[in-house]
Every structure is written in structure tokens, then in C-alpha cells.
């Protein structure tokens, strides 16, 4: 490899040095002089009227500085937390958007809804005093599940949202779908639940508010995936602080998986309270509080039907989904079950007609928003389960049925019936690589061997395509986005040739400090240790949109490329001046600026020094400095895709499912750092396996109490629950419209894994006549399924 | 009621007055400023707070600071050599990309070191079972397991296998 720290090199991560020695700086690690601590008083009821709050006793408790309520925020004209995406119903009416105040004012709408905040000298004192805040609640009946919330006569989460229906949306051509179904030789049908999950980044959310009376500047340090968006929302909608007086910093962030994209009430409260009490205010969630307050993910109930002709060709897909929004609309919530879900229902297949209806429902539960994959895992799970059902019913081999219906590589770019245009992809190739990798042909022998040991064995596929890096801004805007979806970067060469890159992307575990630096190292031949990546501080970086939806490299990295283009153009001008050559004759070779056809060359370091020491510059033609900024607005989404295959073994006596083999073949376009990309895949796979086998966020359907409220009850996958993985990627289908050819890899594993695992589980159970099982396939559920059914044929 | 606790932390004797209810993890983080030890849950399930007490791994959220009175405590900050050379287990985590967001990492590394100390010839299965008390949400464990195996070898003076490029 030409450059050991350039593109394609598995450069070991630079950020690891601090994380491995305990020197990372996460929000809760930061302490300020005079700092106070905030603890929230939260509703113990899923739905209750707040009839009075008596803080007198709490105010007398040791160390207490203030007890603040929704009324105090109202008096200070604090606004509600805005939703960043607007969806319109079929009839053209806008979605229902009830206010979401940082602290509830008259009604609590889920267990954990904040009703007051106690600020004290220490965290323990604040906790003690929070117990003493007397809140008078009038408990109200709760609407807990989406299905029950939609029933006539269900309790209303918001008085002015009839039927608890936030919106009733659709996409696709209903008439074409109806016509195709009328012609179908076979229709496969499936009812499925995509259960609610808790994202569970290992670092609990935290927020530290500060106010400087001298400058009038507010600073919020917070566990966020996109500090500029938090600043924009808080400045423009919630607190009304002008942006130049509001700094938002997201330092090291301990995972996010979507749950740290959103603007949360606690961030607004500590920022507001810091000015009110005149001291820094810090809040750090306890894990049980995270369960009650971090936005949850998924929570779909769907009915799906696939029409096929006699040969198993897909004719049409019809989907009806009910999506639970929780009690309020979180920042990006409406976009998840609509434009990030239904638009992916084509999957990898050339199904000519698709129609999807989505009802979004308010319930008395934690708001639901993007969680790793966000809409796309729900789409993949639905299609791939349905295809597996179709294969079983028609008797066509499941790999063959998929292959028969793939959009061929030759058809790219391909316009789906649900809005997206895939630019590249070779889906058959993914399958071709995967099949020998898992020895598909040898499955029957392995199954027989398992049977000899009294075990059931199944193999399942999932092919997926995802749309990453939501774009372009004008299309996103037309679809309801209230923000642009570009990314920014600044590449600043220093006089001695080192470089600082400022990026609007945000790293919370993805290794940007390494990958982004590789881009600069490759382009200009600069050693990676001379490249610094700065992110996460609105006072330093240009306005950026943060990290989610696998957008960092495709959009953020492309912005860096655009800024480097500008640097290169400027550097060529300077080189031409220094070498007394024509600008057109300057070429960049291996990071050096060369006069074509000569041995006259300069390094970028030589040029940078001259740029900042321009003693002989023709200043009317050439500006000093070598520091360029760019904003990149993508032309299209990127479309990572892949084929994941899972093999499971099930103990019919206990119902325990063991993943015995898992292979993932992915097309991420061009890969900058294979080590990091593979790590992203591994992590994603376990989140997908977690959904398939272990994780489930359970509410009591009557009281609305969260039953899985800690790691004692919510089953997180652990090291001994999962296997090692076989992962492969190929790079011959680069993205066609971004300068790096990259597609995105962060969510892929999660999108493919759940479907692959469940298809394997159902396959294993098929000899008992089981045709579907809802996730998670816990031992109890599997055991029950086995007991409910009789073996179709006597298993030996 | 405040009480005085004294212990050796990363080789240095410390003595502080704390509330009796102060957990060891709180003492390390808030009183000593050793913020490498993290708090990821409140039910002693996640293992982000694992430290060594007299050489054995302990979840520092499960004991009071007062219970560590007189003990020798090692935190992630005290694991590398005085000259900054990473402990072989730390180096193995870096080499094998056994961390992403880094939040669970200190606890994971401290657990791994104790695991290997107690059983130098670990199988992959042993490693997975041994890390059952530590949750990682980022890595999928695949590379953590690789790192611990390599770290085990390195701790016995072996050379670390380079991860496949």
C-alpha cells in the first residue's frame, strides 16, 4: 500500500489511547467550580393530572438550592421541544403535534415524565430532596399499546388528538397493487410485531449547563450526536437564546445508536436553570432513569401480503403498519416509520407495485424515535420474513426465490415504486459470496447431525438495502424535514504543515478521528499524526448536522473532500507561484505538487509555510493562508446492501436458541478503514441478534408501568450469548454520486441480523409446523411454540 | 455521618472523609478525580466500574468506599506502566479494535486482566463466559474476545499476533 495511513489501511485507532487509559472525557467526567446537581422528580403514573406540587419540605432539605417546576418554565416563557419532521396524512392534513414541555405542566403522560427538578449541592442531596417533593396526582386511565390506543373509547393521551392518531399516511400505488393481487397465483401473508427496544448506549445521558454573567454566554455540555442541531432547536424554539450566545459541546460520547440524536428536555432544563441559580447545573441519568426517558426504538405492528405469479415472481406488496410514537413526538420520530421505513419496502427486489399505509399513534409510553437502522430494520424484517414465508409456501428454495426476484445489477440505477432510486448494487453477488461462506449446500448434513444430538437446526437469510445519508436537502425538505441534511468541514493547514480538520459530524464510537484523518493523509501525503480532527463543539466547528443514519463518511467525509479540493486548488496556485510555473502545469502526485514533466516539486508543508509567510506573494492575485471550508449536500442517499446468513441450533427441551454460525457479506462501497468497518458490522450484528433473541421493552398493558426498567429485566446480549462472525465486504460497487464512493456501514449489521436470525429460528421450528414467531425468540417463546405444535414428521 | 477512609489507589496512599453511604465508584470518580472508572447502570449489571481490589476484579458500584478501607485499589488509570507503556491487555484491545465508544472499556480491560491472571490458558469459550458481567453495546464482543485472547498471550510474555489487515 502506498500510504500506510491512507485509504484502505486498517490504521489502529488514535482515540483508543485515551479511552484505554481512562483519560476519555465524557460529560459526567466534567466538573465545574461551584457546580450544582439536578435530579428530576418523575411521574410514577403513566397518565395523571398534576393538581399541585408542594416543594416546601424539599426546599428545607440539606443542600437544596431550588426546586423548579413546569410553571416556573412557563413563567420564563420556555417553549416546547420541537419536532424536526412533519408528515401529512393521506387526506393532506398535517400530523398532530401536541406540545412537549421539558417539564410537564398540568399532565404527566408516561411513567418518567418530568414534573419537577431539584437542584442541590450534591447529587445525593438532590436525590434525597426529590423524594420530599409532594406532587398531587389525579391518576387517569392510560393508553399503553398502539392497538388499544386506536380503539374507540381509548383514553386520550392528548385531549385534542382524537383517536390518539398522530397521522394516517400512505405511500405507493394502491390501485396497481390491487390489480396485481387480483392476478396473483399465490399470496403470502404475515402478521408481525417489531417489538419496542431500548437503545441502551452504555454511557447514560448527561447534561451540564453553565452561564457566564460577564459575557451572557450559555454553555451546554451534553451527550449528543449532533451539537449544532441541539443548539439550533434550543436557541430557536425552546429557550430563545441567540445562537451566538449559546455554545453546545458534545465531548467524548459513550455510544448513541440514535438515542442521542434528539433534543431532550433535561438539556433545556440545565441550561435554563444554570442562569436561574447562577451556578453550573449538572444532571446525569441513572440507568433506570435512562430506561424511563431515553427515546425507545421500533414498536411496529404490521400486516403484510406478497402477491406472486406461478413462477414465484413478486408482483406486488401490500403493507399496513401501526407505529407507536409514545406520548410525545421526539425530534425525528415521524420520519422513522414513514420515509425511512416504507421507502425501503422494495428491499432488493424488483416488485413492480408496492403500497404501504402507516398509522402513527400516541400512547402513554416513552417517546419512540430512531434506533440503529431507524425504520430500515423494520422494513428489512418485514420483507425478509415475508419472503421466507413465501419460499416455504411455494416450495421454492429461499436462496433461489430471492435470486429470481433481485433487481439485477444491470438495471442500476433502479427506480423503486416507493420513491427511492438505487444508484448501484449487485445483490446476486452478495448471495454468491455468502452461500459457500456458510456452506449452504452442506446444511442438510449439519441438520441431520444436530438431529442425532436431539437438536433442531435452521438456516435463515436476510438480504437488505438501506438508504443512508438522508439527502438531498431539497428532497428531504419536500418530504417534511425541517432541517437541511448536508454536512460541513473545514481543513486548516498550519504554517508548519500540520492540519486541523473541523467536521460537523460527531463521533460517539465510530473512530472518526482515525478515518477522517486517513482521508487527509491519503490526499496530501501528511503523516496521520499531523492531522487533528475536531468535532462536537459549536464554538469551533462550522454548522453541521451530526452523526446518525450512517451519514458521517458519505456526507461528512465528502464535505472534507470538498474542503480538500479547495485547499488543493489554492495550494496549486501557491506552488505555481513558488516554482515559477503555470498553474495549469502543477500536478499532485503522491501528495506532492509537481511541475508536469519536471522534477520540480513541493510538499504541502512547503506550500503551507509560504501561505502563512507570504513575503513575496502577489497579494492582488493570491490571498495568504491555507484554510478552506466546504458544505456538501449529497445528490442522493447512499445504498449499502448485503446478504446476511444465520444458522441456529435449538434445544427443543429448553427452547434455548444458539447462533452457531453467522456470516455477513456487505457492499459498503469503498472502504476507508477495514478494521473499523468490520468492527461496526460486528456491533450491529449483535444489536440485531439482541432484538431477535433477547431484547424486549415491556410495559404493563393496563397500568403503563415499565416492567423492563433495568438490566435486571431487559436482556442485553452479553459475550457468551453471541458467536464470532464471518464478515466479508466487496468494493466493486462504489457509490456513484459522492466523491469517496462510500456508502455507510454503521447500521447494516442491525438491519440484516434480526431477520436472518428469525428466519433461521422459524426454519428450525418448521418441522413442528411453526410458520412464524414474533421476536424475541426467548427460550420460553420457543418452548411454547414447540409445545403448541406437533411435529410435521417424526423427528428422529 | 461522615467517616474517614484510607486506601492505596494506584500505588498512592489516600485518605478522605466521606459520607458513610458513599460507593467506592463515587469515591474514585468524585473525590479522587479518577473518572476512567465509569457508571453504566445502577444494578451492578454492566461492569463499566470494574476495578481491582487487592488484585481481584470488583464492581466498584457494589461496595462502599468504607469497605475498601485499607485495601490496594487499582483503576484503569493505574494499569499502564509508570512510563506510560500500555499494559499488554490495553495494547491488545487497541491492536484488535476491542473498543469503540470506549465507555465500557476500562471495566472490560480490568475484568480481562483478572480473568487472565486467574486462568492463563483461556479458551474462547472461557473468555466469553468470563466477561459475562461486562456489557458492551458497540463491539459485538467479537474483537473484545480476540483482544483478550491476544492479551492473555502477551501477559505471559508471548508476542501479540497482529490482526489480519
Amino acid at each position: 500500500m502506498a500510504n500506510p495511513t491512507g485509504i484502505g489501511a486498517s490504521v489502529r485507532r488514535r482515540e483508543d489511547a485515551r479511552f484505554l487509559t481512562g483519560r476519555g472525557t465524557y460529560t459526567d467526567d466534567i466538573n465545574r467550580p461551584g457546580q450544582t446537581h439536578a435530579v428530576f422528580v418523575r411521574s410514577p403514573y403513566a397518565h395523571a393530572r398534576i393538581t399541585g406540587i408542594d416543594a416546601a419540605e424539599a426546599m428545607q432539605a440539606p443542600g437544596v438550592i431550588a426546586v423548579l417546576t413546569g410553571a416556573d418554565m412557563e413563567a420564563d416563557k420556555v417553549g416546547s421541544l420541537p419536532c424536526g419532521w412533519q408528515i401529512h396524512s393521506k387526506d393532506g392534513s398535517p400530523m398532530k403535534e401536541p406540545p412537549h414541555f421539558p417539564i410537564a405542566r398540568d399532565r404527566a403522560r408516561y411513567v418518567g415524565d418530568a414534573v419537577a427538578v431539584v437542584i442541590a449541592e450534591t447529587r445525593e442531596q438532590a436525590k434525597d430532596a426529590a423524594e420530599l417533593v409532594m406532587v398531587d396526582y389525579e391518576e387517569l386511565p392510560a393508553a399503553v399499546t398502539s392497538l388499544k390506543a386506536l380503539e374507540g373509547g381509548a383514553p386520550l393521551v392528548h385531549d385534542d388528538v382524537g383517536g390518539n392518531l398522530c397521522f394516517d399516511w400512505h405511500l405507493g400505488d394502491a390501485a396497481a397493487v390491487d390489480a396485481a393481487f387480483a392476478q396473483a397465483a399465490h399470496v403470502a401473508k404475515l402478521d408481525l410485531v417489531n417489538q419496542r427496544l431500548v437503545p441502551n448506549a452504555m454511557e447514560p445521558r448527561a447534561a451540564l449547563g453553565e452561564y457566564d454573567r460577564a459575557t451572557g454566554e450559555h454553555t451546554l455540555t451534553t451527550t449528543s450526536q449532533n451539537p449544532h442541531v441541539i443548539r439550533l432547536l434550543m436557541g430557536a424554539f425552546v429557550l430563545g437564546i441567540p445562537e451566538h450566545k449559546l455554545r453546545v459541546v458534545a465531548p467524548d460520547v459513550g455510544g448513541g445508536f440514535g438515542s442521542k440524536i434528539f433534543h431532550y428536555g433535561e438539556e433545556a432544563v440545565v441550561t435554563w436553570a444554570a442562569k436561574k441559580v447562577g451556578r453550573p447545573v449538572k444532571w446525569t441519568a441513572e440507568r433506570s432513569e435512562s430506561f424511563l426517558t431515553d427515546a425507545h426504538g421500533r414498536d411496529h405492528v404490521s400486516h403484510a401480503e406478497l402477491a406472486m405469479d406461478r413462477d414465484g415472481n413478486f408482483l406486488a406488496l401490500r403493507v399496513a403498519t401501526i407505529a407507536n410514537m409514545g406520548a410525545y413526538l421526539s425530534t425525528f420520530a415521524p420520519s422513522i416509520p414513514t420515509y425511512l421505513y416504507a421507502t425501503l419496502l422494495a428491499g432488493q427486489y424488483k416488485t413492480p407495485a408496492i403500497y404501504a399505509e402507516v398509522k402513527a399513534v400516541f400512547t402513554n409510553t416513552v417517546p419512540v424515535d430512531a434506533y440503529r437502522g431507524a425504520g430500515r430494520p423494520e422494513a428489512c424484517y418485514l420483507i425478509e420474513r415475508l419472503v421466507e414465508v413465501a419460499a416455504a409456501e411455494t416450495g421454492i428454495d429461499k436462496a433461489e426465490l430471492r435470486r429470481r426476484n433481485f433487481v439485477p445489477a444491470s438495471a442500476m440505477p433502479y427506480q423503486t415504486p416507493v420513491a427511492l432510486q438505487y444508484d448501484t448494487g449487485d445483490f446476486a453477488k452478495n448471495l454468491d459470496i455468502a452461500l459457500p461462506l456458510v456452506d449452504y449446500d452442506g446444511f442438510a448434513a449439519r441438520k441431520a447431525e444436530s438431529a442425532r444430538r436431539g437438536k433442531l437446526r435452521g438456516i435463515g437469510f436476510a438480504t437488505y438495502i438501506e438508504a443512508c445519508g438522508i439527502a438531498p436537502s431539497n428532497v428531504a425538505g419536500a418530504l417534511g424535514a425541517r432541517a437541511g441534511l448536508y454536512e460541513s468541514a473545514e481543513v486548516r493547514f498550519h504554517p508548519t504543515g500540520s492540519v486541523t480538520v473541523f467536521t460537523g459530524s460527531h463521533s460517539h464510537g465510530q473512530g472518526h478521528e482515525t478515518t477522517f484523518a486517513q482521508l487527509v493523509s491519503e490526499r496530501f501525503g501528511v503523516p496521520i499524526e499531523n492531522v487533528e480532527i475536531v468535532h462536537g463543539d459549536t464554538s469551533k466547528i462550522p454548522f453541521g448536522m451530526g452523526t446518525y443514519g450512517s451519514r458521517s463518511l458519505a456526507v461528512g467525509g465528502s464535505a472534507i473532500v470538498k474542503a480538500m479540493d479547495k485547499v488543493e486548488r489554492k495550494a496549486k496556485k501557491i506552488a505555481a507561484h513558488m516554482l515559477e510555473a503555470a498553474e495549469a502545469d502543477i500536478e499532485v502526485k503522491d501528495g506532492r505538487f509537481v511541475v508536469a514533466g519536471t522534477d520540480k516539486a513541493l510538499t504541502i508543508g512547503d506550500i503551507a509555510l509560504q501561505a502563512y509567510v507570504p513575503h513575496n506573494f502577489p497579494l492582488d492575485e493570491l490571498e495568504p493562508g491555507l484554510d478552506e471550508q466546504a458544505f456538501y449536500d449529497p445528490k442522493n442517499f447512499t445504498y449499502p446492501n448485503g446478504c446476511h446468513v444465520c444458522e441456529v441450533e435449538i434445544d427443543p427441551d429448553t427452547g434455548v436458541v444458539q447462533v452457531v454460525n453467522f456470516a455477513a457479506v456487505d457492499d459498503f462501497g469503498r472502504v476507508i478503514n477495514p478494521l473499523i468497518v468490520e468492527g461496526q458490522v460486528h456491533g450491529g450484528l449483535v444489536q440485531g441478534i439482541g432484538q431477535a433473541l433477547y431484547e424486549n421493552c415491556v410495559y404493563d398493558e393496563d397500568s403503563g408501568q415499565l416492567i423492563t426498567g433495568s438490566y435486571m429485566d431487559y436482556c442485553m446480549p452479553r459475550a457468551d450469548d453471541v458467536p464470532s462472525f464471518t464478515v466479508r465486504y466487496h468494493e466493486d460497487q462504489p457509490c456513484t454520486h459522492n466523491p469517496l464512493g462510500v456508502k455507510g456501514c454503521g447500521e447494516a449489521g442491525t438491519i440484516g441480523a434480526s431477520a436472518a436470525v428469525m428466519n433461521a429460528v422459524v426454519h428450525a421450528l418448521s418441522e413442528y409446523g411453526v410458520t412464524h414467531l414474533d421476536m424475541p425468540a426467548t427460550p420460553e417463546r420457543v418452548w411454547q411454540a414447540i409445545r403448541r405444535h406437533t411435529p410435521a414428521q417424526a423427528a428422529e | 455521618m461522615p467517616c474517614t477512609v484510607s486506601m492505596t489507589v494506584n500505588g498512592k496512599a489516600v485518605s478522605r472523609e466521606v459520607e458513610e453511604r458513599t460507593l467506592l465508584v463515587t469515591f474514585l470518580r468524585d473525590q479522587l478525580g479518577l473518572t476512567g472508572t465509569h457508571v453504566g447502570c445502577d444494578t451492578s449489571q454492566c461492569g463499566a466500574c470494574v476495578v481491582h481490589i487487592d488484585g481481584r476484579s470488583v464492581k466498584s458500584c457494589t461496595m462502599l468506599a468504607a469497605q475498601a478501607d485499607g485495601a490496594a485499589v487499582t483503576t484503569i488509570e493505574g494499569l499502564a506502566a509508570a512510563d506510560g507503556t500500555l499494559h499488554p491487555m490495553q495494547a491488545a484491545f487497541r491492536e484488535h479494535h476491542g473498543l469503540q465508544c470506549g465507555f465500557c472499556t476500562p471495566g472490560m480491560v480490568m475484568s480481562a486482566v483478572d480473568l487472565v491472571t486467574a486462568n492463563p490458558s483461556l479458551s474462547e469459550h472461557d473468555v466469553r463466559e468470563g466477561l459475562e458481567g461486562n456489557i458492551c453495546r458497540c463491539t459485538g464482543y467479537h474483537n473484545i474476545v480476540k483482544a483478550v485472547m491476544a492479551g492473555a498471550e502477551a501477559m505471559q510474555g508471548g508476542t501479540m499476533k497482529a490482526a489480519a489487515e
Side-chain angles (χ1 to χ4, degrees), chain A residues 262-278:
Chain A
F262 324 121
H263 176 36
Y264 288 96
E266 293 89 354
E267 294 169 325
V269 170
V270 298
T271 307
W272 165 74
K275 183 175 180 185
K276 218 161 172 69
V277 303

mmCIF file of all heavy atoms in Angstrom, chain A residues 262-278:
data_model
loop_
_atom_site.group_PDB
_atom_site.id
_atom_site.type_symbol
_atom_site.label_atom_id
_atom_site.label_comp_id
_atom_site.label_asym_id
_atom_site.label_seq_id
_atom_site.Cartn_x
_atom_site.Cartn_y
_atom_site.Cartn_z
ATOM 1 N N PHE A 262 -31.525 13.153 19.616
ATOM 2 C CA PHE A 262 -32.684 14.001 19.876
ATOM 3 C C PHE A 262 -32.410 15.062 20.928
ATOM 4 O O PHE A 262 -31.572 14.884 21.797
ATOM 5 C CB PHE A 262 -33.862 13.112 20.303
ATOM 6 C CG PHE A 262 -33.861 11.800 19.578
ATOM 7 C CD1 PHE A 262 -33.787 10.602 20.247
ATOM 8 C CD2 PHE A 262 -33.855 11.782 18.184
ATOM 9 C CE1 PHE A 262 -33.722 9.400 19.556
ATOM 10 C CE2 PHE A 262 -33.792 10.588 17.493
ATOM 11 C CZ PHE A 262 -33.726 9.384 18.184
ATOM 12 N N HIS A 263 -33.179 16.132 20.840
ATOM 13 C CA HIS A 263 -33.092 17.164 21.869
ATOM 14 C C HIS A 263 -34.034 16.776 23.002
ATOM 15 O O HIS A 263 -35.231 16.630 22.816
ATOM 16 C CB HIS A 263 -33.486 18.519 21.277
ATOM 17 C CG HIS A 263 -33.515 19.604 22.300
ATOM 18 N ND1 HIS A 263 -32.608 19.670 23.346
ATOM 19 C CD2 HIS A 263 -34.339 20.677 22.453
ATOM 20 C CE1 HIS A 263 -32.881 20.728 24.084
ATOM 21 N NE2 HIS A 263 -33.923 21.351 23.570
ATOM 22 N N TYR A 264 -33.453 16.609 24.174
ATOM 23 C CA TYR A 264 -34.223 16.170 25.341
ATOM 24 C C TYR A 264 -34.461 17.333 26.300
ATOM 25 O O TYR A 264 -33.634 18.253 26.409
ATOM 26 C CB TYR A 264 -33.456 15.087 26.092
ATOM 27 C CG TYR A 264 -33.398 13.736 25.396
ATOM 28 C CD1 TYR A 264 -32.305 13.378 24.616
ATOM 29 C CD2 TYR A 264 -34.424 12.813 25.558
ATOM 30 C CE1 TYR A 264 -32.233 12.123 24.012
ATOM 31 C CE2 TYR A 264 -34.368 11.564 24.961
ATOM 32 C CZ TYR A 264 -33.268 11.221 24.183
ATOM 33 O OH TYR A 264 -33.205 9.984 23.592
ATOM 34 N N GLY A 265 -35.562 17.222 27.030
ATOM 35 C CA GLY A 265 -35.931 18.254 27.993
ATOM 36 C C GLY A 265 -34.854 18.558 29.022
ATOM 37 O O GLY A 265 -34.657 19.717 29.402
ATOM 38 N N GLU A 266 -34.127 17.543 29.458
ATOM 39 C CA GLU A 266 -33.121 17.760 30.512
ATOM 40 C C GLU A 266 -32.058 18.759 30.056
ATOM 41 O O GLU A 266 -31.505 19.515 30.873
ATOM 42 C CB GLU A 266 -32.449 16.434 30.893
ATOM 43 C CG GLU A 266 -33.381 15.428 31.576
ATOM 44 C CD GLU A 266 -34.104 14.528 30.584
ATOM 45 O OE1 GLU A 266 -33.972 14.751 29.357
ATOM 46 O OE2 GLU A 266 -34.811 13.604 31.029
ATOM 47 N N GLU A 267 -31.759 18.745 28.747
ATOM 48 C CA GLU A 267 -30.740 19.674 28.224
ATOM 49 C C GLU A 267 -31.214 21.114 28.358
ATOM 50 O O GLU A 267 -30.447 22.016 28.722
ATOM 51 C CB GLU A 267 -30.452 19.352 26.751
ATOM 52 C CG GLU A 267 -29.803 17.992 26.555
ATOM 53 C CD GLU A 267 -29.740 17.537 25.097
ATOM 54 O OE1 GLU A 267 -30.677 17.835 24.320
ATOM 55 O OE2 GLU A 267 -28.767 16.878 24.733
ATOM 56 N N ALA A 268 -32.484 21.302 28.043
ATOM 57 C CA ALA A 268 -33.040 22.656 28.158
ATOM 58 C C ALA A 268 -33.119 23.074 29.627
ATOM 59 O O ALA A 268 -32.813 24.217 29.979
ATOM 60 C CB ALA A 268 -34.430 22.699 27.514
ATOM 61 N N VAL A 269 -33.474 22.124 30.484
ATOM 62 C CA VAL A 269 -33.647 22.455 31.904
ATOM 63 C C VAL A 269 -32.326 22.891 32.540
ATOM 64 O O VAL A 269 -32.266 23.916 33.225
ATOM 65 C CB VAL A 269 -34.275 21.265 32.671
ATOM 66 C CG1 VAL A 269 -34.220 21.503 34.175
ATOM 67 C CG2 VAL A 269 -35.723 21.044 32.222
ATOM 68 N N VAL A 270 -31.253 22.131 32.325
ATOM 69 C CA VAL A 270 -29.984 22.523 32.989
ATOM 70 C C VAL A 270 -29.446 23.838 32.423
ATOM 71 O O VAL A 270 -28.839 24.633 33.149
ATOM 72 C CB VAL A 270 -28.891 21.422 32.939
ATOM 73 C CG1 VAL A 270 -29.355 20.163 33.664
ATOM 74 C CG2 VAL A 270 -28.450 21.111 31.519
ATOM 75 N N THR A 271 -29.695 24.081 31.135
ATOM 76 C CA THR A 271 -29.212 25.333 30.529
ATOM 77 C C THR A 271 -29.973 26.520 31.130
ATOM 78 O O THR A 271 -29.381 27.537 31.504
ATOM 79 C CB THR A 271 -29.414 25.289 28.994
ATOM 80 O OG1 THR A 271 -28.806 24.104 28.486
ATOM 81 C CG2 THR A 271 -28.789 26.493 28.323
ATOM 82 N N TRP A 272 -31.276 26.366 31.223
ATOM 83 C CA TRP A 272 -32.144 27.402 31.793
ATOM 84 C C TRP A 272 -31.849 27.606 33.279
ATOM 85 O O TRP A 272 -31.693 28.729 33.758
ATOM 86 C CB TRP A 272 -33.592 26.965 31.547
ATOM 87 C CG TRP A 272 -34.663 27.655 32.308
ATOM 88 C CD1 TRP A 272 -35.133 28.920 32.100
ATOM 89 C CD2 TRP A 272 -35.432 27.120 33.392
ATOM 90 N NE1 TRP A 272 -36.157 29.200 32.975
ATOM 91 C CE2 TRP A 272 -36.358 28.110 33.773
ATOM 92 C CE3 TRP A 272 -35.442 25.896 34.057
ATOM 93 C CZ2 TRP A 272 -37.277 27.907 34.809
ATOM 94 C CZ3 TRP A 272 -36.358 25.689 35.072
ATOM 95 C CH2 TRP A 272 -37.263 26.687 35.449
ATOM 96 N N ALA A 273 -31.712 26.453 34.000
ATOM 97 C CA ALA A 273 -31.545 26.534 35.455
ATOM 98 C C ALA A 273 -30.196 27.130 35.850
ATOM 99 O O ALA A 273 -30.082 27.781 36.890
ATOM 100 C CB ALA A 273 -31.713 25.146 36.074
ATOM 101 N N ALA A 274 -29.173 26.922 35.010
ATOM 102 C CA ALA A 274 -27.847 27.440 35.356
ATOM 103 C C ALA A 274 -27.881 28.962 35.484
ATOM 104 O O ALA A 274 -27.233 29.551 36.356
ATOM 105 C CB ALA A 274 -26.827 27.020 34.299
ATOM 106 N N LYS A 275 -28.643 29.593 34.637
ATOM 107 C CA LYS A 275 -28.768 31.047 34.720
ATOM 108 C C LYS A 275 -29.620 31.415 35.943
ATOM 109 O O LYS A 275 -29.322 32.357 36.664
ATOM 110 C CB LYS A 275 -29.404 31.597 33.444
ATOM 111 C CG LYS A 275 -29.500 33.114 33.441
ATOM 112 C CD LYS A 275 -30.016 33.639 32.113
ATOM 113 C CE LYS A 275 -30.097 35.161 32.144
ATOM 114 N NZ LYS A 275 -30.690 35.689 30.919
ATOM 115 N N LYS A 276 -30.656 30.624 36.157
ATOM 116 C CA LYS A 276 -31.587 30.921 37.249
ATOM 117 C C LYS A 276 -30.913 30.809 38.614
ATOM 118 O O LYS A 276 -31.120 31.664 39.484
ATOM 119 C CB LYS A 276 -32.756 29.919 37.171
ATOM 120 C CG LYS A 276 -34.076 30.554 37.521
ATOM 121 C CD LYS A 276 -35.268 29.764 37.037
ATOM 122 C CE LYS A 276 -36.531 30.379 37.595
ATOM 123 N NZ LYS A 276 -36.844 31.694 37.027
ATOM 124 N N VAL A 277 -30.119 29.778 38.829
ATOM 125 C CA VAL A 277 -29.469 29.627 40.142
ATOM 126 C C VAL A 277 -28.079 30.265 40.169
ATOM 127 O O VAL A 277 -27.453 30.330 41.220
ATOM 128 C CB VAL A 277 -29.390 28.145 40.595
ATOM 129 C CG1 VAL A 277 -30.761 27.509 40.639
ATOM 130 C CG2 VAL A 277 -28.445 27.343 39.725
ATOM 131 N N GLY A 278 -27.616 30.713 39.033
ATOM 132 C CA GLY A 278 -26.337 31.417 38.989
ATOM 133 C C GLY A 278 -25.129 30.517 39.176
ATOM 134 O O GLY A 278 -24.040 30.984 39.526
#
